[in-house]
Amino acid sequence: MRKSLIYFVLSLVILNTACSEDDNEKKAPVVGELSLASPLDSSTCEGVSTSSTKCEVTLNWEPTSENETYVLTVTNLNTNKVVLIQNDIKETTYKLVLDKQEPFSWTVSSRDNVTKEISNKSPIWKFYASAGVSVANYAPFPADLITPIQDKVVTAVDGKILLKWSGSDTDGDNLKYTVYIDKVDGKQTPLTELTNISTTQASVSVASGVYYWRVKSSDANSSSFSQVVSFTVN
């Protein structure tokens, strides 16, 4: 009887240990935060002119570890095209040539040299590449679509879903938004109630199927369009 009890207790210990090991194996690595330095978020006049249409911009960020290299991603916000993905950067500065008078976003990740896993990631900052030339009024940065995201499957509640986005303007102007949502291309005539609104969310009526949406951000002088995102209502 005593031996049976000992075997039972040992089996429980082994089982608990195995479960703990499995749980640890399933845990994703913790990703820390990497700090960007310059250009500052929402800054303008960045870069040194290299031609009538191009300028050289220097990006700087804070170091994380000697055992890591960096991955830099730069995106043109007007075209939503990634203009640079540079891997295995060993320094904390990088120069690149960009189009003048265009808004860009940039973000940096650090990768462990041994495991090759991303260990730290920065927020996404935005800037205008203006080569030191001041502009009376900059167009708002294209809105960031928060939800639904690309290829998301959503469930309507009482026939409605909630759209969320965020907007920013380097001049600090008050912004108005127009929401485009349809089953064609996200560029059809917007509903009146979704035109020139001040909030950054909207409840819209939907049916099942694939939808496309984008947001127009406007100040008193100019405007910009976000990317078009598609999602499915089940």
Side-chain angles (χ1 to χ4, degrees):
M1 179 68 180
R2 182 179 178 82
K3 287 185 178 180
S4 299
L5 180 60
I6 292 174
Y7 290 149
F8 176 71
V9 172
L10 287 175
S11 65
L12 288 178
V13 172
I14 294 172
L15 179 61
N16 288 335
T17 302
C19 290
S20 298
E21 290 177 351
D22 289 343
D23 290 342
N24 289 335
E25 289 176 358
K26 292 178 182 178
K27 288 182 180 178
V30 177
V31 177
E33 183 170 325
L34 186 153
S35 298
L36 302 180
S38 64
L40 296 176
D41 193 22
S42 299
S43 60
T44 61
C45 303
E46 299 299 334
V48 177
S49 180
T50 58
S51 71
S52 60
T53 60
K54 303 286 185 179
C55 65
E56 183 181 71
V57 176
T58 302
L59 306 175
N60 299 282
W61 57 93
E62 300 297 330
T64 53
S65 169
E66 294 181 356
N67 299 319
E68 295 179 336
T69 55
Y70 303 99
V71 181
L72 169 65
T73 304
V74 180
T75 303
N76 184 313
L77 295 176
N78 275 343
T79 62
N80 197 42
K81 290 184 178 180
V82 175
V83 297
L84 175 77
I85 298 180
Q86 184 65 46
N87 295 287
D88 299 323
I89 302 174
K90 294 181 173 60
E91 306 297 328
T92 56
T93 185
Y94 193 89
K95 293 183 178 182
L96 73 163
V97 176
L98 299 171
D99 292 331
K100 286 182 178 179
Q101 306 303 333
E102 290 285 322
F104 294 90
S105 69
W106 68 295
T107 182
V108 179
S109 301
S110 63
R111 175 178 288 147
D112 188 280
N113 290 333
V114 178
T115 65
K116 302 303 180 183
E117 292 181 343
I118 295 297
S119 53
N120 297 280
K121 191 170 184 179
S122 77
I124 298 174
W125 280 8
K126 302 174 183 178
F127 66 91
Y128 264 94
S130 303
V133 178
S134 180
V135 177
N137 182 271
Y138 288 90
F141 286 111
D144 295 316
L145 305 187
I146 298 174
T147 184
I149 58 175
Q150 181 66 38
D151 298 328
K152 180 74 173 180
V153 177
V154 299
T155 300
V157 177
D158 295 329
K160 292 187 175 183
I161 63 168
L162 187 65
L163 306 176
K164 292 184 178 181
W165 64 93
S166 64
S168 59
D169 183 88
T170 190
D171 302 306
D173 298 329
N174 292 325
L175 299 179
K176 296 287 187 178
Y177 304 100
T178 298
V179 180
Y180 296 73
I181 179 170
D182 55 66
K183 288 189 171 184
V184 181
D185 56 6
K187 300 178 181 180
Q188 304 303 301
T189 303
L191 298 174
T192 302
E193 59 267 29
L194 297 179
T195 302
N196 290 327
I197 60 178
S198 299
T199 60
T200 54
Q201 65 180 42
S203 179
V204 296
S205 298
V206 292
S208 60
V210 177
Y211 280 85
Y212 302 84
W213 78 293
R214 66 172 178 164
V215 173
K216 177 183 178 182
S217 304
S218 303
D219 59 21
N221 300 287
S222 53
S223 60
S224 65
F225 288 89
S226 74
Q227 62 178 305
V228 176
V229 163
S230 64
F231 64 93
T232 300
V233 178
N234 59 15

